[in-house]
Amino acid sequence: GIIAFVALIVYLTIIGLYVAHEHGRLVYAHEQMDQLHRENALLTKVNATVTHSLVMLQTLLNSGNVNAQLEDIQLDLAALAPNLPKLKRTFPETAPSIDRFERHLFALREGRGREGLIALRDSEQQIAAELEKIETRIQGQIAQLTTEDLGLIRKFTMIVSVAFLGGLAIFGSGVMVFLSRLASDIRTAEARAVEIIKGYRGKPLD
């Protein structure tokens, strides 16, 4: 009985350590997934603003209004500007394109007219192309992590189930051995009690 109990404790300790390790992997995978979703949300937000701004810029250029003013696209630029620093911090590879865009935006504010609008449009197109590449990459990472996460969950569930059944088997075996020995001892004691009643005065039971 004691051996079975010790074996059960050792077994549960090993299983507990392994389950804790797998749980840590699951937590890490979920943290990575959350980070990727936040990054993807930022990309989606900036990309939508850039796309709308590009449409407005191209509309101004197609209108033939050489004296088009910055005020015509001010709302789009105002929506885009606050997200650029965060975009550069999150995706450092976009920094050169964003810096180029900001230089062209400053030049347009200095009154470069149509030429400034064309330069600003070209720099926004470069940003849009980079965002699309990054978004494709992140979506691939999300898909891969999702697959790995499902695999970890299935593995974790299987391990817990097997550990539970194995623990029950070990515990049950220990109980069966204990009860079997107890029943044997009881039968021996009963037999000796009958012998004593009949006058037995020999060696006592161990």
Side-chain angles (χ1 to χ4, degrees):
I2 294 177
I3 295 176
F5 179 74
V6 172
L8 178 62
I9 294 299
V10 172
Y11 175 79
L12 291 178
T13 300
I14 295 173
I15 292 299
L17 291 174
Y18 189 78
V19 167
H21 172 71
E22 293 298 316
H23 179 263
R25 291 180 63 190
L26 276 174
V27 170
Y28 178 71
H30 288 165
E31 289 175 349
Q32 282 189 307
M33 186 75 75
D34 290 341
Q35 177 64 27
L36 287 173
H37 279 301
R38 287 194 296 269
E39 292 177 357
N40 194 55
L42 174 63
L43 285 172
T44 301
K45 182 179 180 180
V46 175
N47 212 358
T49 307
V50 169
T51 300
H52 190 269
S53 178
L54 280 171
V55 171
M56 294 300 296
L57 279 170
Q58 194 59 52
T59 299
L60 284 174
L61 290 169
N62 292 341
S63 69
N65 182 9
V66 179
N67 297 318
Q69 298 297 313
L70 181 61
E71 286 76 12
D72 295 327
I73 55 170
Q74 192 66 45
L75 289 177
D76 290 303
L77 297 176
L80 178 60
N83 295 305
L84 295 181
K86 186 176 182 180
L87 188 66
K88 285 201 291 186
R89 289 194 304 270
T90 307
F91 307 104
E93 63 269 34
T94 64
S97 297
I98 292 174
D99 292 340
R100 179 170 176 258
F101 167 78
E102 289 174 338
R103 287 196 303 270
H104 290 158
L105 179 59
F106 177 79
L108 184 62
R109 285 171 176 163
E110 293 297 309
R112 292 184 60 190
R114 183 178 179 82
E115 180 184 347
L117 285 174
I118 293 174
L120 190 66
R121 179 203 62 189
D122 292 345
S123 61
E124 277 199 281
Q125 286 176 336
Q126 185 174 353
I127 291 175
E130 290 184 356
L131 293 181
E132 185 176 352
K133 290 180 182 178
I134 296 172
E135 196 167 2
T136 300
R137 183 189 73 204
I138 286 182
Q139 288 173 352
Q141 291 174 334
I142 290 175
Q144 181 180 354
L145 269 178
T146 300
T147 301
E148 293 175 357
D149 190 49
L150 290 174
L152 281 173
I153 291 173
R154 285 194 293 267
K155 184 179 179 182
F156 185 78
T157 303
M158 181 185 70
I159 289 171
V160 171
S161 300
V162 171
F164 177 74
L165 293 176
L168 283 180
I170 294 175
F171 181 73
S173 299
V175 170
M176 290 297 294
V177 170
F178 172 75
L179 292 178
S180 176
R181 292 183 61 180
L182 180 62
S184 177
D185 291 343
I186 290 173
R187 286 194 297 269
T188 302
E190 287 178 345
R192 178 54 56 89
V194 171
E195 291 175 355
I196 290 173
I197 292 173
K198 292 179 179 180
Y200 178 79
R201 295 294 182 269
K203 183 179 179 181
L205 292 174
D206 296 331

